[in-house]
Amino acid sequence: MFDILYIIKDPFNPIANIQFAISQISQTKLSIYDLNGRLVNILVDDMLNPGHYISVWSGVDRKGYQVSSGIYLSVLEAQGREIQTRKIVLLK
């Protein structure tokens, strides 16, 4: 079982600081999806030690292109299980 702290200041422009904490060492993945379920970007995909982390999303996709204003989903996974999903709003 994981103790998760997952905070996003919403809406954001131009940078979203996504804060999370994990309570035990785990393979952790933080991804951004659009509302159609398409993967936009992967911010974290690494084995992390217990602790607090901040990941920054500057509103770009995996190719480095700016995405349009709108609603996106930030998905935090640990040990291959979806732990939490948060809505984030990009305003330009």
Side-chain angles (χ1 to χ4, degrees), residues 15-27:
I15 295 174
N17 290 307
I18 302 169
Q19 301 175 47
F20 63 97
I22 55 174
S23 60
Q24 61 188 15
I25 191 168
S26 66
Q27 181 66 34

Side-chain angles (χ1 to χ4, degrees), residues 4-82:
I4 301 291
L5 167 69
Y6 193 37
I7 301 170
I8 302 172
K9 295 190 186 324
D10 197 36
F12 76 97
N13 178 9
I15 295 174
N17 290 307
I18 302 169
Q19 301 175 47
F20 63 97
I22 55 174
S23 60
Q24 61 188 15
I25 191 168
S26 66
Q27 181 66 34
T28 304
K29 188 173 186 177
L30 179 62
S31 305
I32 305 295
Y33 290 86
D34 66 17
L35 287 181
N36 292 318
R38 291 182 297 242
L39 179 63
V40 174
N41 208 335
I42 298 173
L43 305 179
V44 175
D45 190 3
D46 206 357
M47 183 67 72
L48 297 181
N49 290 315
H52 293 268
Y53 297 88
I54 297 176
S55 184
V56 175
W57 184 45
S58 57
V60 297
D61 64 14
R62 292 184 288 171
K63 295 179 180 179
Y65 296 112
Q66 281 294 136
V67 298
S68 60
S69 295
I71 299 172
Y72 294 87
L73 300 174
S74 174
V75 178
L76 180 65
E77 300 171 73
Q79 298 299 89
R81 298 187 322 241
E82 182 179 323

